């Protein structure tokens, strides 16, 4: 079991590294950095717009030096040998034509230079391995710190909604598979099909408009996690308050994820009920509930583990959208804000975090497999 | 091809729900095409500052009234919703077609050749690797730098010419050399299957929505760039499907027969395998189009990657965030969006049913 898990982990690391590197390099290669937009432009907002040109340049250089952005990007760089030629009208008029021609094609020879470890990528990679993901451009706070702050809300939202959805999907499928469940099946499956085609942000907004609005029904608080919290709350009180604020986002996520999961669980359970062992169980006189819960369910769970672990990206996406709409201070809202303000260190950090989460989910799925199926445990030992 | 058309005709004749969904889609398409000639009182970006947040169906009715209300800037919801159809179809359909074609090409090649099916002489391999490096420097990097430095088009053309000339030179040199050197003549297999699989795996490490968000944040907001990003991230689904289907088709007796009469790879893939792929790909296409519509409206809802003057359902819905009482801003565009996606999913569902039934039989 454990060597097998270790192998999967080791195989996942190159993908993680490739993705993070690609995002990092892309984010740094593109023109128009945060600093040049903020500090150098004349109509830039804020303090620096009033300074002279030299002041701005000095502030810009200082900023680049402080954040390490003045270093070369990668270990290796390829650039035109003599720099780019000046624009054509600025060429000295007295130079002879041959020299002129020679100079004008010099830019085609590349020159390769080696920078050693004094480059942005190396420093970022070393920092990331030490758990330091740099500082946010926007707030100048360490990315790791703000990620740690935000991850709690997202994690609980994700976990609780997943457990709720899964339990609901299981129970609904069990009810539907029974002989008496025919009417439920007729009503529920079309309803789920329709719910599935409502985009998540529309669903969230509809709930927001109709359930948290003085014009219709004011059942839930609208935004965020509450602004004023008295200091001395017991753990229990705090949980209740949090649950109150989390209720609507949670409902939204459950509604959003339920159709797919129920469908898959139902299909899987249906297949298990057709199997020979289910017929045997019925033949030896077990009740319907005992056949479903005692015999079919465990076998139906196996494909469901894969389905749930494959479903995690959609789950994360849904959580992010819901977080942004209900203004829950979590990773998703941070991501959208970082995208809108082009805060690349935060973006890279979030990408790394999500990719790592996915790998953990894969490993957990493997463990769950071994738990659900004794045959796999036997094989891998 | 003919078989598929026949299937759809049978489905159309027998299944009422499929007929409803398909005719709804046709109606939308017709509306999108005829829109410039419809007598609408307002254009979608026209501001009517006298009527902000006007509720729908407010009396008195006249030609000038906003039947479905207005948003916070006085833009007419009806005009926005109708023009949103245009945006949704004329952007999503080409994007989905391109992504499907890309996925089909990569997936079919991966499934057909596998890891050992395609081999290349070392000579060709060297030229290929060198050519890629040369093209990315002379064909992409240098022209971009030159364009930023505002040099003439002649220099850019010279750089691109250099990018093509160098690999050709290398290929000529190697062609002469390989007569002497055995090493260059040996052929090596290209692990196409592994390459495509690893690529899809890496791209699916993080959710597609997040990937698109991150990539969109690197570029200025523009529709062509965003479409490109979506095409480059969306192809993996079709590629996986095409690869799996091709691996299945490769085992079928008729394919073996075709191979045994000596057809070349191109004929095998295009004339023999592709028609069999059409059904599953059509199912995936309609389903993917539905999710693409949802994705696109989500992006324009968050105002990421699209210019803010692009008319879309997502933009209209986004204006509710300033005033949550204005239910009509989410109800009408949201309903149309949902109905469109529902119709697409329904079509996909029934097509899938009829095709998988035939495959099983």
């Amino acid at each position: 079991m454990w060597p097998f898990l270790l192998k999967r982990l080791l195989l996942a690391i190159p993908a993680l590294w490739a993705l993070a590197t690609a995002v990092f390099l892309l984010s740094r290669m593109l023109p128009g950095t945060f600093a040049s937009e903020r500090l150098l432009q004349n109509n830039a907002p804020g303090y620096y717009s009033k300074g002279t040109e030299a002041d701005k340049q000095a502030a810009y250089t200082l900023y680049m030096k402080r954040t390490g952005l003045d270093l070369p990007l990668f270990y290796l760089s390829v650039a035109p040998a003599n720099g780019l030629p000046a624009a054509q009208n600025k060429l000295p008029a007295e130079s002879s034509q041959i020299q002129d021609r020679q100079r004008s094609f010099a830019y085609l020879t590349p020159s390769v230079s080696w920078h050693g470890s004094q480059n942005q990528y190396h420093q970022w990679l070393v920092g990331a391995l030490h758990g330091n993901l740099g500082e946010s451009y926007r707030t100048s706070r360490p990315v790791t710190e703000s990620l740690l702050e935000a991850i709690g809300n997202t994690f609980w939202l994700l976990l609780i909604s997943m457990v709720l959805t899964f339990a609901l999907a299981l129970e609904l499928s069990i009810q539907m598979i029974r002989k008496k469940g025919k009417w439920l099946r007729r009503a529920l499956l079309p309803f789920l099909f329709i719910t599935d085609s409502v985009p998540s942000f529309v669903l969230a907004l509809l709930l927001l408009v109709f359930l948290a609005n003085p014009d219709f029904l004011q059942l839930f608080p609208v935004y965020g996690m509450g602004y004023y919290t008295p200091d001395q709350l017991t753990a229990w009180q705090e949980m209740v308050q949090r649950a109150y604020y989390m209720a609507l986002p949670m409902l939204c996520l459950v509604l959003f994820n339920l159709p797919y999961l129920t469908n898959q669980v139902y299909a899987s359970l249906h297949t298990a009920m057709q199997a020979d062992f289910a017929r045997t169980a019925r033949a030896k006189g077990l009740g319907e509930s005992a056949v479903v819960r005692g015999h079919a369910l465990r076998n139906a769970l196996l494909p469901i583990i894969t389905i749930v672990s494959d479903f995690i990206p959609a789950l994360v996406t849904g959580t992010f959208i819901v977080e942004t709409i209900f203004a829950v201070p979590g990773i998703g809202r941070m991501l959208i804000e970082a995208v809108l303000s082009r805060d690349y260190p935060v973006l890279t950090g979030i990408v790394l975090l999500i990719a790592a989460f996915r790998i953990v989910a894969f490993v957990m799925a493997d463990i769950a497999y071994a738990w659900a199926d004794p045959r796999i445990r036997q094989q891998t030992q | 091809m003919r078989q598929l058309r026949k299937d759809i005709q049978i489905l159309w004749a027998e299944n009422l729900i499929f007929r409803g969904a398909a005719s709804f889609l046709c109606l939308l398409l017709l509306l999108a095409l005829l829109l410039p000639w419809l007598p609408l009182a307002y254009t979608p970006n026209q501001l009517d500052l006298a009527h902000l947040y006007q509720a729908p169906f407010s009396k008195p009715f006249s030609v000038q009234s906003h039947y479905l209300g207005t948003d916070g800037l006085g833009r007419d919801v009806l005009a926005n919703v109708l023009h949103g159809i245009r945006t949704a179809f004329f952007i999503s359909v080409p994007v989905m077609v391109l992504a499907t074609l890309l996925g089909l090409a990569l997936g079919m090649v991966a499934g057909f050749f596998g890891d050992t099916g395609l081999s290349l002489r070392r000579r060709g391999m060297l030229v290929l690797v060198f050519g890629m490096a040369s093209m990315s420097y002379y064909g992409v990097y240098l022209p971009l730098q030159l364009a930023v430095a505002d040099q003439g088009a002649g220099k850019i053309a010279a750089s691109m010419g250099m990018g093509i000339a160098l690999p050709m030179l290398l290929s000529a040199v190697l062609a002469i050399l390989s007569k002497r050197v055995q090493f260059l003549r040996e052929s090596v297999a290209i692990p196409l299957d592994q390459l495509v699989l690893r690529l899809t795996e890496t791209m699916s490490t993080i959710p597609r929505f997040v990937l698109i968000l991150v990539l969109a944040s690197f570029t200025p907001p523009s529709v062509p760039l965003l479409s490109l990003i979506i095409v480059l991230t969306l192809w993996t689904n079709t590629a996986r499907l095409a690869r799996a289907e091709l691996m299945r088709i490769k085992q079928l007796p008729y394919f073996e027969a075709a191979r045994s009469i000596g057809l070349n790879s191109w004929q095998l893939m295009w004339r023999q395998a592709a028609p069999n792929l059409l059904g599953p790909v059509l199912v995936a296409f309609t389903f993917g189009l539905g999710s693409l519509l949802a994705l696109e409206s989500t992006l324009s809802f968050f105002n990421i990657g699209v210019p803010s003057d692009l008319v879309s359902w997502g933009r209209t819905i986004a204006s509710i965030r300033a005033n949550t009482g204005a239910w009509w801003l989410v109800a009408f565009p949201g309903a149309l969006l949902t109905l469109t996606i529902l119709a697409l999913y329904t079509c996909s569902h029934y097509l899938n049913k009829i095709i998988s039934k035939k495959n099983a039989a």
Side-chain angles (χ1 to χ4, degrees), chain B residues 15 30 91 136 160 165 202 239 358:
Chain B
N15 197 313
L30 197 71
I91 293 176
S136 52
M160 288 194 169
T202 305
K358 222 172 42 203

Side-chain angles (χ1 to χ4, degrees), chain A residues 15 56 67 69 86 106 147 151 167 297 372:
Chain A
K56 279 187 209 168
T67 50
L69 287 172
L147 276 180
I151 201 171
L297 195 59

Side-chain angles (χ1 to χ4, degrees), chain A residues 19 26-27 30 78-80 85 107-108 110 197-199 201 205 209 213 215-216 317 324 335 342 344 347 354 358, chain B residues 137-138 142 151 155 202 204-207 209 213 217-220 297-298 301-302 317 320 324-325 327 337-338 342:
Chain A
L19 196 76
L26 269 178
S27 72
L30 291 151
V78 184
Y107 69 96
L108 285 177
S197 38
V198 185
F201 75 102
L205 280 174
V209 166
N213 189 338
D215 293 350
F216 294 94
T317 306
T324 316
L335 175 74
R342 304 193 164 200
Y344 295 133
L347 268 184
I354 297 172
R358 177 121 171 96
Chain B
Y137 180 72
Y138 285 114
L142 204 54
Q151 303 284 325
K155 287 198 168 149
T202 305
S204 61
T205 314
I206 63 171
F209 179 70
L213 278 189
S217 78
F218 297 154
T219 63
S297 51
T298 310
F301 173 74
F302 288 125
I317 296 174
I320 198 178
T324 42
W327 56 270
L337 178 61
T338 304
L342 185 64

Side-chain angles (χ1 to χ4, degrees), chain B residues 172-184:
Chain B
V173 169
L174 284 181
I176 298 166
L177 261 184
S178 70
K179 295 228 169 79
R180 300 284 170 85
V181 188
Q182 171 69 30
F183 177 78
L184 289 173

Side-chain angles (χ1 to χ4, degrees), chain A residues 344-360:
Chain A
Y344 295 133
V346 176
L347 268 184
T348 322
I350 293 178
V351 167
L352 258 180
L353 183 74
I354 297 172
F357 172 69
R358 177 121 171 96
I359 290 169
V360 171

